[in-house]
């Protein structure tokens, strides 16, 4: 019966830590891109320069800081609690970030609809 050496356990923990950091960075990038693309029409201005600044102080921080928090939570749940391999945790994080990007896009499309439609009242 062989036992893993102390260095192999340490290397596994270090890999898991770096991968968790990458999950947070991927979540942050996803949040910034989703918010930037979705909020652009309302921040540029619509009819007569009308802008919706609540996208800056309400939706922006929730999306930009919520996506990394969610990515880290999924990484910790799948990788730490469920003891799955790093690859499985990475796939779970990517799937969740894809769902977050889609959901944020839909939410921001609904919020900026009045700035993008061509009809005027």
């Amino acid at each position: 019966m062989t036992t893993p050496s102390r260095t192999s356990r340490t290397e596994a923990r270090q890999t898991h830590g770096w991968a968790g950091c990458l999950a947070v960075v991927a979540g942050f990038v996803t949040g910034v891109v989703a918010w930037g693309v979705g909020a652009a029409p309302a921040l540029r201005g619509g009819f007569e320069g009308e802008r919706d600044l609540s996208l800056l102080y309400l939706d922006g921080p929730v999306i930009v800081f919520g996506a990394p928090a969610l990515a880290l939570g999924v990484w910790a749940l799948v990788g730490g609690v469920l003891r799955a391999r790093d690859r499985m945790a990475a796939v779970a994080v990517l799937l969740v970030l894809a769902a977050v990007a889609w959901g944020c896009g839909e939410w921001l499309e609904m919020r900026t609809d009045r700035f993008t439609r061509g009809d005027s009242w």
Side-chain angles (χ1 to χ4, degrees):
M1 177 175 201
T2 62
T3 59
S5 67
R6 184 172 238 176
T7 57
S8 67
R9 282 188 236 155
T10 305
E11 289 173 5
R13 282 190 214 127
Q14 288 175 348
T15 303
H16 190 70
W18 279 105
C21 290
L22 288 175
V24 171
V25 169
F28 184 74
V29 169
T30 301
V32 167
V33 169
W35 180 78
V37 170
L43 295 177
R44 273 185 265 141
F47 180 68
E48 293 183 356
E50 177 186 7
R51 294 187 172 133
D52 186 4
L53 296 180
S54 70
L55 292 169
L56 285 174
Y57 61 82
L58 181 65
D59 294 335
V62 169
I63 293 172
V64 169
F65 296 118
L70 189 61
L72 185 60
V74 168
W75 182 263
L77 177 69
V78 175
V81 176
L82 299 178
R83 303 271 185 212
R85 296 180 184 251
D86 283 347
R87 290 180 185 161
M88 292 298 290
V91 169
V93 167
L94 289 176
L95 289 174
V96 166
L97 288 178
V100 164
W102 175 79
C104 290
E106 291 294 318
W107 171 256
L108 290 171
E109 184 179 338
M110 179 188 68
R111 295 260 292 130
T112 61
D113 184 43
R114 63 187 172 122
F115 296 100
T116 57
R117 66 174 182 242
D119 60 342
S120 60
W121 293 75

